Amino acid sequence: MRASALALVATAGVLLAASLLFGGGSSDGPVAWIGGVAVLAAAAAACVALLGLLPLPAIGREGFACAGLAAAFVAWNAVTILWSSAPDRSWGYFNRGLVYLAFGVVGAFVGSAVAPRIVAWLVGGLVTVTCLWALAGK
């Protein structure tokens, strides 16, 4: 595995672990910090891919349609701030949507650069740790 792919998997793992273990559920507090790092990771992955050190994601027509609809929904959340009776809530939905898009971009790069088995082990391990964390909190 190339060093750039290994760094991408490590970054995605840390982001996913932070969101699962320290995300705060539906609260907006940690979204800014975790989401900011996710946006930076997505931008960095795109830059590294444009330099040729990572493969570009091959997501197909369905993937582009899904990403386009998600981006349109996030843009709609941003536009609704203009007439919203609670613009702070609309702003929160917009921020959360940007974070989801950033996680999607990072996931697309991970899926194109790493074998699916490695991703499955990573996600399975993080879900196990999250369940143990939740049980320890009880």
Side-chain angles (χ1 to χ4, degrees):
M1 182 181 312
R2 297 174 100 179
S4 55
L6 187 61
L8 179 66
V9 170
T11 303
V14 168
L15 280 172
L16 189 56
S19 65
L20 288 174
L21 299 173
F22 307 110
S26 61
S27 69
D28 287 334
V31 170
W33 299 106
I34 297 169
V37 174
V39 169
L40 289 174
C47 289
V48 170
L50 290 175
L51 291 173
L53 300 174
L54 275 177
L56 289 171
I59 57 176
R61 284 185 300 186
E62 295 84 4
F64 276 116
C66 181
L69 289 171
F73 181 69
V74 171
W76 180 253
N77 284 333
V79 170
T80 62
I81 295 171
L82 298 174
W83 63 77
S84 177
S85 61
D88 57 331
R89 300 279 292 160
S90 296
W91 186 256
Y93 283 119
F94 171 67
N95 287 339
R96 193 172 288 274
L98 279 179
V99 171
Y100 291 157
L101 284 176
F103 267 93
V105 169
V106 171
F109 277 106
V110 168
S112 67
V114 180
R117 177 169 280 192
I118 294 172
V119 176
W121 276 101
L122 175 69
V123 172
L126 288 174
V127 168
T128 302
V129 168
T130 304
C131 290
L132 292 173
W133 181 276
L135 287 173
K138 280 297 198 181

